[in-house]
Amino acid sequence: MKREAELVVVMPVYNEAASIRGVILEWHEELVRHTHFFHFLVLNDGSTDETAAILNRLKAANANLSVIHQINIGHGQCCLRGYRWALEHKVQWILQLDSDGQCDPRFFSAFWSRRNDSDVVYGQRIIRNDGWSRSFISWVVKVVLLVRCRVICVDANVPYRLMRTRILESVLPRIPGDFNLANVALAVLLKRTPGVRHGYIPIHFRKRHGGQPSLNFPQFAFRARQLIRQLKKLD
């Protein structure tokens, strides 16, 4: 990684052979319009399709791409590993994105322009093309956090967020290693941290380029109960 990199893109990947090449290339094209000092950190979370081979080819052709191949630990914990990597390498900013093509690069300029007056900028999914069930899940998470944690998180699990790396230093150790929706835990803890400035950018969340979501609607009842139990660990 270039020592002068000011932005690292943390991108967990699981079985996204249909989308990962196009996602990285379209984001590279957008990022170079704003900074030449960025780096991709792609975490292959135990993919069983051709994802690993595609990433290895991309890495060989791109000096600003690092790939970590690992056993499956889940999306949330995968993100946390990427955030810790950014802290260790003293990168100023983290952009967390998913690898399925739903995060549209055209909104990035609005995120980047907010970095001087915000410590964390979340995408707010105003328009969603991923189905009513996913919107319902996000709404349930918002209500649970309001009732259980007494915080208002506009879109706590959104995978499109820009964060000043140093604000995570005292927060990440407080997220348990078994916390499934780790980005939700992070949003709650940042809301509770005095002095953290929050920003929100309305975004259009696109359809997946391919593959299947890691959390489907039938699984969510179990995950919701698990989330309520795990939120107690943040008190």
Side-chain angles (χ1 to χ4, degrees):
M1 188 192 74
K2 295 180 180 180
R3 289 182 177 273
E4 65 271 24
E6 63 176 337
L7 172 69
V8 61
V9 178
V10 172
M11 185 179 290
V13 182
Y14 178 71
N15 286 352
E16 295 289 358
S19 63
I20 186 59
R21 184 179 183 275
V23 169
I24 289 176
L25 293 179
E26 73 168 349
W27 269 98
H28 187 282
E29 183 179 351
E30 177 62 27
L31 291 173
V32 295
R33 296 191 179 104
H34 304 279
T35 176
H36 291 287
F37 306 118
F38 66 90
H39 196 80
F40 283 95
L41 176 65
V42 181
L43 300 103
N44 176 29
D45 195 32
S47 295
T48 58
D49 61 1
E50 295 299 312
T51 294
I54 295 169
L55 288 173
N56 288 337
R57 290 194 293 270
L58 287 169
K59 179 182 177 182
N62 293 276
N64 66 340
L65 172 63
S66 294
V67 179
I68 296 175
H69 297 289
Q70 62 186 31
I71 62 172
N72 185 269
I73 60 174
H75 180 277
Q77 293 296 325
C78 199
C79 288
L80 297 188
R81 183 175 184 183
Y83 302 159
R84 294 185 186 104
W85 187 96
L87 278 167
E88 291 169 5
H89 289 80
K90 303 184 185 307
V91 183
Q92 187 177 1
W93 290 94
I94 296 168
L95 177 65
Q96 193 260 301
L97 301 170
D98 275 358
S99 55
D100 54 16
Q102 292 186 277
C103 299
D104 193 329
R106 67 190 172 99
F107 297 103
F108 176 72
S109 60
F111 282 74
W112 198 237
S113 67
R114 294 289 301 273
R115 71 190 187 281
N116 291 325
D117 58 24
S118 300
D119 298 306
V120 55
V121 184
Y122 298 98
Q124 183 177 357
R125 291 175 281 193
I126 301 297
I127 302 174
R128 299 186 64 159
N129 294 134
D130 54 350
W132 68 267
S133 63
R134 308 295 292 183
S135 297
F136 178 73
I137 288 171
S138 295
W139 178 83
V140 170
V141 170
K142 183 177 180 179
V143 172
V144 167
L145 298 184
L146 178 60
V147 173
R148 176 62 186 82
C149 302
R150 299 292 190 269
V151 295
I152 298 175
C153 294
V154 174
D155 199 345
N157 203 35
V158 66
Y160 200 146
R161 59 181 72 192
L162 179 69
M163 299 176 287
R164 193 183 303 274
T165 307
R166 63 174 174 78
I167 68 170
L168 305 184
E169 190 166 10
S170 63
V171 174
L172 292 183
R174 299 172 58 191
I175 303 176
D178 63 347
F179 207 109
N180 184 264
L181 297 177
N183 268 339
V184 172
L186 180 59
V188 170
L189 292 172
L190 289 176
K191 269 288 188 176
R192 291 174 171 176
T193 302
V196 173
R197 299 170 297 172
H198 300 261
Y200 303 92
I201 301 295
I203 62 171
H204 173 196
F205 209 52
R206 304 184 298 193
K207 290 183 179 179
R208 294 176 60 90
H209 285 186
Q212 298 295 323
S214 57
L215 178 64
N216 57 41
F217 190 71
Q219 294 172 330
F220 183 67
F222 168 77
R223 293 299 188 192
R225 292 194 298 270
Q226 183 185 51
L227 174 63
I228 292 170
R229 291 195 305 269
Q230 290 186 333
L231 286 171
K232 296 178 182 179
K233 299 178 181 181
L234 302 182
D235 294 339

